[in-house]
Amino acid sequence: MREYALVFFVAASVTYLLTPITRRTAVRWGAMTQPRDRDVHAIPTPRMGGVAMYGGVAVGMIVAMGLPNLSRGLRGSFEIRAVLVGGGAICLIGVIDDKWGIDALTKLTGQVFASGLLVLLGVQLLYIWIPGQPQISLGPETVPLTILLTLFMVNSINFVDGLDGLAAGVTAIAASAFFVYSYQLSVVLEVQAAQPATLISAVLAGVCVGFLPHNFNPARIFMGDSGSMLLGLMLAAATVSGSSTVDYGALGARKGAALFIPLLIPVFVLAVPFVDLLLAVLRRARARRPVFQPDKEHLHHRLMEIGHSHRRAVLIMYFWSALVAFGGVSFFFARPDVVGAVVGAVTLLAVLLSNFPRLRGRS
């Protein structure tokens, strides 16, 4: 745990220190977000924060490979190189969009290319395990399935990036929840194949925490597509690595609940962005608008419409994300009846907090 904590601290520190440099560079290059009707900012704000994040990822990974215990556990693993190469590619595509702007189809092509690099370097859905059935090995379909999963996660984070600090905070929570899950596998259950996912989660949480002080309301810099797409790709890499390289069937006698993790963990750690993305797609399809056309009807926008301030809306989204992510993970490693009671009570509190301005207006 100490080495993971060190890697987290290094990734956070490097990102925090690089962000002001990136901000000045973005201002000099003219990579600025101009105020729009659907935005909450009234002045131009620099973007391209993903560059600082990628710097934190790279340094964090390099430090991890130099630590005695982590280097031994990660010897021969391909996930680290895949994340650095695929993450660098998608960050570069995001920088181009942050500076000059690219159309949705070109951006999607770039996302497919970066996702393909992950697959080419070995991050693939090798097999799936369904409770009560033999392990299912995937054939040629592993490539499109992995790419589709990566695209879904990339665009989930991209869609939720609508308020200051929202995407970074939600991703930090998702990465932390996934770290808890993969740490239990890699350290507690001694499943070595889960170590790359554990490291990726720790680094990802670190860069998000390091970026948040500059990005929380009022934000001095936005992560831009260079940041949101990088975060989504890293979450996808951690999920694929942790869900398809571990033989969960072999854990049945030791931790029966862990058998359901490959099917449910991605849903839990990204539940809020997933729901927001699906609602946005359905909403725009029903209105016959392009799926990638922005609007002001996301979950966080609706929280502000019922009376929450900018910061309160973000904190409520954090609360919901943490509730679903950590509540879901807890079911696998704690007594379900206890977890269910706690999650039920906290869910009631979350509902009351989310609707407090509306309730107060009716009193």
PDB file of all heavy atoms in Angstrom, residues 7-22:
ATOM      1  N   VAL A   7       3.052   6.488  -5.370  1.00  0.00           N
ATOM      2  CA  VAL A   7       2.751   6.733  -6.781  1.00  0.00           C
ATOM      3  C   VAL A   7       1.590   7.717  -6.914  1.00  0.00           C
ATOM      4  O   VAL A   7       1.618   8.630  -7.749  1.00  0.00           O
ATOM      5  CB  VAL A   7       2.421   5.406  -7.496  1.00  0.00           C
ATOM      6  CG1 VAL A   7       1.866   5.668  -8.887  1.00  0.00           C
ATOM      7  CG2 VAL A   7       3.666   4.530  -7.575  1.00  0.00           C
ATOM      8  N   PHE A   8       0.563   7.549  -6.089  1.00  0.00           N
ATOM      9  CA  PHE A   8      -0.563   8.488  -6.075  1.00  0.00           C
ATOM     10  C   PHE A   8      -0.070   9.905  -5.781  1.00  0.00           C
ATOM     11  O   PHE A   8      -0.446  10.865  -6.479  1.00  0.00           O
ATOM     12  CB  PHE A   8      -1.576   8.048  -5.017  1.00  0.00           C
ATOM     13  CG  PHE A   8      -2.673   9.051  -4.746  1.00  0.00           C
ATOM     14  CD1 PHE A   8      -3.847   9.027  -5.485  1.00  0.00           C
ATOM     15  CD2 PHE A   8      -2.525  10.021  -3.763  1.00  0.00           C
ATOM     16  CE1 PHE A   8      -4.855   9.946  -5.236  1.00  0.00           C
ATOM     17  CE2 PHE A   8      -3.524  10.942  -3.515  1.00  0.00           C
ATOM     18  CZ  PHE A   8      -4.694  10.909  -4.260  1.00  0.00           C
ATOM     19  N   PHE A   9       0.778  10.049  -4.764  1.00  0.00           N
ATOM     20  CA  PHE A   9       1.279  11.372  -4.379  1.00  0.00           C
ATOM     21  C   PHE A   9       2.125  11.983  -5.492  1.00  0.00           C
ATOM     22  O   PHE A   9       2.015  13.186  -5.781  1.00  0.00           O
ATOM     23  CB  PHE A   9       2.098  11.255  -3.092  1.00  0.00           C
ATOM     24  CG  PHE A   9       2.725  12.553  -2.638  1.00  0.00           C
ATOM     25  CD1 PHE A   9       1.961  13.520  -2.015  1.00  0.00           C
ATOM     26  CD2 PHE A   9       4.064  12.796  -2.870  1.00  0.00           C
ATOM     27  CE1 PHE A   9       2.526  14.725  -1.616  1.00  0.00           C
ATOM     28  CE2 PHE A   9       4.645  13.998  -2.470  1.00  0.00           C
ATOM     29  CZ  PHE A   9       3.872  14.965  -1.837  1.00  0.00           C
ATOM     30  N   VAL A  10       2.969  11.187  -6.128  1.00  0.00           N
ATOM     31  CA  VAL A  10       3.813  11.690  -7.211  1.00  0.00           C
ATOM     32  C   VAL A  10       2.966  12.159  -8.381  1.00  0.00           C
ATOM     33  O   VAL A  10       3.166  13.250  -8.928  1.00  0.00           O
ATOM     34  CB  VAL A  10       4.815  10.606  -7.669  1.00  0.00           C
ATOM     35  CG1 VAL A  10       5.504  11.012  -8.969  1.00  0.00           C
ATOM     36  CG2 VAL A  10       5.866  10.356  -6.585  1.00  0.00           C
ATOM     37  N   ALA A  11       1.992  11.335  -8.792  1.00  0.00           N
ATOM     38  CA  ALA A  11       1.117  11.707  -9.908  1.00  0.00           C
ATOM     39  C   ALA A  11       0.344  12.987  -9.598  1.00  0.00           C
ATOM     40  O   ALA A  11       0.214  13.873 -10.453  1.00  0.00           O
ATOM     41  CB  ALA A  11       0.155  10.570 -10.229  1.00  0.00           C
ATOM     42  N   ALA A  12      -0.167  13.100  -8.378  1.00  0.00           N
ATOM     43  CA  ALA A  12      -0.914  14.298  -7.984  1.00  0.00           C
ATOM     44  C   ALA A  12      -0.009  15.520  -7.958  1.00  0.00           C
ATOM     45  O   ALA A  12      -0.382  16.598  -8.451  1.00  0.00           O
ATOM     46  CB  ALA A  12      -1.554  14.081  -6.613  1.00  0.00           C
ATOM     47  N   SER A  13       1.188  15.390  -7.403  1.00  0.00           N
ATOM     48  CA  SER A  13       2.108  16.520  -7.275  1.00  0.00           C
ATOM     49  C   SER A  13       2.580  17.022  -8.635  1.00  0.00           C
ATOM     50  O   SER A  13       2.608  18.233  -8.893  1.00  0.00           O
ATOM     51  CB  SER A  13       3.318  16.124  -6.423  1.00  0.00           C
ATOM     52  OG  SER A  13       2.918  15.737  -5.129  1.00  0.00           O
ATOM     53  N   VAL A  14       2.952  16.094  -9.512  1.00  0.00           N
ATOM     54  CA  VAL A  14       3.428  16.489 -10.840  1.00  0.00           C
ATOM     55  C   VAL A  14       2.315  17.186 -11.616  1.00  0.00           C
ATOM     56  O   VAL A  14       2.537  18.222 -12.256  1.00  0.00           O
ATOM     57  CB  VAL A  14       3.948  15.258 -11.613  1.00  0.00           C
ATOM     58  CG1 VAL A  14       4.236  15.612 -13.076  1.00  0.00           C
ATOM     59  CG2 VAL A  14       5.210  14.710 -10.947  1.00  0.00           C
ATOM     60  N   THR A  15       1.113  16.645 -11.556  1.00  0.00           N
ATOM     61  CA  THR A  15      -0.023  17.271 -12.246  1.00  0.00           C
ATOM     62  C   THR A  15      -0.301  18.660 -11.685  1.00  0.00           C
ATOM     63  O   THR A  15      -0.525  19.615 -12.448  1.00  0.00           O
ATOM     64  CB  THR A  15      -1.281  16.403 -12.113  1.00  0.00           C
ATOM     65  OG1 THR A  15      -1.014  15.088 -12.619  1.00  0.00           O
ATOM     66  CG2 THR A  15      -2.444  17.007 -12.881  1.00  0.00           C
ATOM     67  N   TYR A  16      -0.264  18.780 -10.364  1.00  0.00           N
ATOM     68  CA  TYR A  16      -0.525  20.078  -9.733  1.00  0.00           C
ATOM     69  C   TYR A  16       0.510  21.125 -10.171  1.00  0.00           C
ATOM     70  O   TYR A  16       0.166  22.285 -10.451  1.00  0.00           O
ATOM     71  CB  TYR A  16      -0.492  19.921  -8.217  1.00  0.00           C
ATOM     72  CG  TYR A  16      -0.693  21.215  -7.463  1.00  0.00           C
ATOM     73  CD1 TYR A  16      -1.968  21.746  -7.282  1.00  0.00           C
ATOM     74  CD2 TYR A  16       0.398  21.921  -6.948  1.00  0.00           C
ATOM     75  CE1 TYR A  16      -2.156  22.944  -6.609  1.00  0.00           C
ATOM     76  CE2 TYR A  16       0.218  23.112  -6.278  1.00  0.00           C
ATOM     77  CZ  TYR A  16      -1.057  23.628  -6.106  1.00  0.00           C
ATOM     78  OH  TYR A  16      -1.232  24.818  -5.439  1.00  0.00           O
ATOM     79  N   LEU A  17       1.785  20.727 -10.244  1.00  0.00           N
ATOM     80  CA  LEU A  17       2.853  21.656 -10.598  1.00  0.00           C
ATOM     81  C   LEU A  17       2.870  21.981 -12.092  1.00  0.00           C
ATOM     82  O   LEU A  17       3.255  23.092 -12.484  1.00  0.00           O
ATOM     83  CB  LEU A  17       4.205  21.076 -10.175  1.00  0.00           C
ATOM     84  CG  LEU A  17       4.413  20.923  -8.658  1.00  0.00           C
ATOM     85  CD1 LEU A  17       5.721  20.201  -8.367  1.00  0.00           C
ATOM     86  CD2 LEU A  17       4.382  22.280  -7.958  1.00  0.00           C
ATOM     87  N   LEU A  18       2.471  21.021 -12.923  1.00  0.00           N
ATOM     88  CA  LEU A  18       2.486  21.252 -14.371  1.00  0.00           C
ATOM     89  C   LEU A  18       1.285  22.063 -14.852  1.00  0.00           C
ATOM     90  O   LEU A  18       1.351  22.695 -15.913  1.00  0.00           O
ATOM     91  CB  LEU A  18       2.520  19.913 -15.112  1.00  0.00           C
ATOM     92  CG  LEU A  18       3.828  19.134 -15.111  1.00  0.00           C
ATOM     93  CD1 LEU A  18       3.664  17.831 -15.894  1.00  0.00           C
ATOM     94  CD2 LEU A  18       4.959  19.963 -15.715  1.00  0.00           C
ATOM     95  N   THR A  19       0.199  22.048 -14.101  1.00  0.00           N
ATOM     96  CA  THR A  19      -1.022  22.709 -14.572  1.00  0.00           C
ATOM     97  C   THR A  19      -0.860  24.211 -14.786  1.00  0.00           C
ATOM     98  O   THR A  19      -1.316  24.733 -15.818  1.00  0.00           O
ATOM     99  CB  THR A  19      -2.191  22.419 -13.610  1.00  0.00           C
ATOM    100  OG1 THR A  19      -2.417  21.004 -13.545  1.00  0.00           O
ATOM    101  CG2 THR A  19      -3.464  23.091 -14.083  1.00  0.00           C
ATOM    102  N   PRO A  20      -0.216  24.975 -13.885  1.00  0.00           N
ATOM    103  CA  PRO A  20      -0.029  26.406 -14.172  1.00  0.00           C
ATOM    104  C   PRO A  20       0.808  26.657 -15.426  1.00  0.00           C
ATOM    105  O   PRO A  20       0.544  27.608 -16.175  1.00  0.00           O
ATOM    106  CB  PRO A  20       0.701  26.917 -12.914  1.00  0.00           C
ATOM    107  CG  PRO A  20       0.341  25.947 -11.850  1.00  0.00           C
ATOM    108  CD  PRO A  20       0.249  24.628 -12.533  1.00  0.00           C
ATOM    109  N   ILE A  21       1.814  25.811 -15.670  1.00  0.00           N
ATOM    110  CA  ILE A  21       2.623  25.949 -16.887  1.00  0.00           C
ATOM    111  C   ILE A  21       1.761  25.685 -18.113  1.00  0.00           C
ATOM    112  O   ILE A  21       1.824  26.409 -19.121  1.00  0.00           O
ATOM    113  CB  ILE A  21       3.815  24.969 -16.843  1.00  0.00           C
ATOM    114  CG1 ILE A  21       4.689  25.264 -15.625  1.00  0.00           C
ATOM    115  CG2 ILE A  21       4.633  25.050 -18.124  1.00  0.00           C
ATOM    116  CD1 ILE A  21       5.799  24.251 -15.408  1.00  0.00           C
ATOM    117  N   THR A  22       0.935  24.634 -18.026  1.00  0.00           N
ATOM    118  CA  THR A  22       0.030  24.317 -19.132  1.00  0.00           C
ATOM    119  C   THR A  22      -0.962  25.453 -19.351  1.00  0.00           C
ATOM    120  O   THR A  22      -1.295  25.791 -20.502  1.00  0.00           O
ATOM    121  CB  THR A  22      -0.731  23.017 -18.829  1.00  0.00           C
ATOM    122  OG1 THR A  22       0.202  21.965 -18.597  1.00  0.00           O
ATOM    123  CG2 THR A  22      -1.640  22.638 -19.986  1.00  0.00           C
TER     124      THR A  22
END
